[in-house]
Amino acid sequence: MAVKRGLGRGLEALIPAAQGEESGLVYVRPDEVSSNPLQPRTSFDEEGLASLASSIATVGLLQPITVRPDPAGGYTLIAGERRLRAARVAGLTSIPALVRQGEDLSGLTEALVENLQRADLSPLEEAAAYRQLMEDFGLTHEEVGRRVGRSRASVTNALRLLQLPAAIQGMIERGELSAGHGRALLAIEDRPYMEHVAGRAVAEGWSVRQVEEAASLRRGAPSAGGRPRVREVRPAEVIELEQRLAEKLGTKVKVDYRGGRGSLHLRYGSLEELERIFRRLMS
């Protein structure tokens, strides 16, 4: 597959160069990078990886992995295991990597945060940067917001763009749709219809309000019983908890929110995986 750099205007400013380096950013082959032997996660949600791989194949790898040179040749991964795996699934032959030589990761975190505050990133690049801080350095939505000077809700809303299908992410990355369009589209549960609305919005120059109206009409369509179907908007706190549970348990998590009540759904693919989820819940 041809290289998809995925590095938009301003992202280079996000990459802090190590002392004595002109630039810490290089492009490496995924097969040159060995996994971090200290990686605490041993299981990755296959559906989530497939979704990320589809996004990477469409818009490229929006945030680099972090590696250190291996004396035996190649590189050893420091941070970005999920992105590396997804890039391999997507068939990328070259991906951006931030090369570090024994640097303390806490210093790297602060450097990334400092540059994120200054960088002119696209909505998807900004969302990917937030996710990088969460995945690689264990920060919560609230901690990311506090460090970059944003509210927890704004961080959560930015991250929601990464839930869009890869085709729609591509429309946003190319500037055909805005982040507001993307958030309005997320109200549509029917994915084919979501992509249909997105295509019409691009072709006909719809405003965000027009997309919201299309989503409202879909939600209000009569059901088999003749009553309108109205989906209650989930609070940002519920979305954050859902994402944090998925990260902790290493599996797909769905919170069915119905006001003060609801249900929690966990997905597993085998008895062994169910036992692993149980152990994590009890730990």
Side-chain angles (χ1 to χ4, degrees):
M1 175 177 291
V3 176
K4 287 184 178 291
R5 297 268 167 126
L7 293 175
R9 182 171 58 113
L11 185 56
E12 296 282 358
L14 182 61
I15 310 302
Q19 186 174 5
E21 294 180 346
E22 292 184 2
S23 173
L25 186 68
V26 300
Y27 283 84
V28 301
R29 298 193 315 272
D31 59 10
E32 288 184 281
V33 183
S34 302
S35 293
N36 186 345
L38 301 179
Q39 165 61 247
R41 295 179 63 182
T42 58
S43 178
F44 292 81
D45 175 25
E46 293 300 323
E47 184 177 342
L49 277 178
S51 177
L52 179 58
S54 178
S55 172
I56 289 174
T58 301
V59 302
L61 188 61
L62 296 173
Q63 288 295 303
I65 61 174
T66 307
V67 299
R68 64 167 57 94
D70 188 333
Y75 302 92
T76 298
L77 187 70
I78 298 175
E81 179 82 26
R82 185 167 174 267
R83 295 193 297 284
L84 176 62
R85 291 183 180 221
R88 287 170 175 164
V89 172
L92 266 63
T93 57
S94 179
I95 59 175
L98 186 63
V99 180
R100 284 293 180 260
Q101 307 228 16
E103 183 177 3
D104 186 277
L105 277 186
S106 63
L108 177 57
T109 308
E110 295 306 319
L112 284 168
V113 168
E114 180 182 350
N115 284 282
L116 174 59
Q117 292 171 327
R118 297 197 304 262
D120 179 19
L121 305 182
S122 74
L124 280 176
E125 288 170 342
E126 181 180 352
Y130 293 158
R131 184 171 61 186
Q132 179 183 6
L133 289 169
M134 292 172 59
E135 289 182 351
D136 294 351
F137 308 111
L139 301 183
T140 64
H141 291 214
E142 185 172 3
E143 289 169 337
V144 170
R146 187 164 58 246
R147 290 181 181 227
V148 301
R150 303 284 179 87
S151 68
R152 180 179 62 181
S154 67
V155 171
T156 299
N157 282 330
L159 287 164
R160 291 179 66 216
L161 295 176
L162 301 177
Q163 298 173 15
L164 289 165
I168 299 179
Q169 288 189 28
M171 295 175 189
I172 294 175
E173 189 63 17
R174 292 190 296 271
E176 298 168 351
L177 293 176
S178 68
H181 286 103
R183 285 189 287 271
L185 287 165
L186 283 166
I188 303 174
E189 292 183 326
D190 184 340
R191 176 168 173 165
Y193 184 68
M194 180 194 294
E195 294 181 343
H196 167 74
V197 171
R200 287 197 60 183
V202 171
E204 301 175 22
W206 285 8
S207 66
V208 173
R209 179 59 182 166
Q210 287 174 295
V211 173
E212 290 173 343
E213 289 174 352
S216 296
L217 287 172
R218 188 67 168 186
R219 291 199 307 273
S223 64
R227 303 184 67 179
R229 297 176 299 176
V230 179
R231 187 182 68 167
E232 186 168 5
V233 177
R234 299 192 302 167
E237 292 83 355
V238 172
I239 298 173
E240 178 186 356
L241 288 172
E242 181 179 83
Q243 294 173 340
R244 290 173 65 182
L245 273 172
E247 286 296 315
K248 177 176 176 58
L249 300 177
T251 191
K252 183 77 172 180
V253 175
K254 175 67 175 177
V255 176
D256 184 8
Y257 177 79
R258 299 174 184 173
R261 298 186 177 185
S263 58
L264 176 66
H265 303 268
L266 304 176
R267 179 171 297 181
Y268 62 91
S270 65
L271 180 59
E272 291 75 14
E273 188 174 3
L274 177 60
E275 291 176 348
R276 177 188 61 76
I277 294 172
F278 173 77
R279 287 194 297 271
R280 291 200 176 185
L281 283 170
M282 300 302 292
S283 62

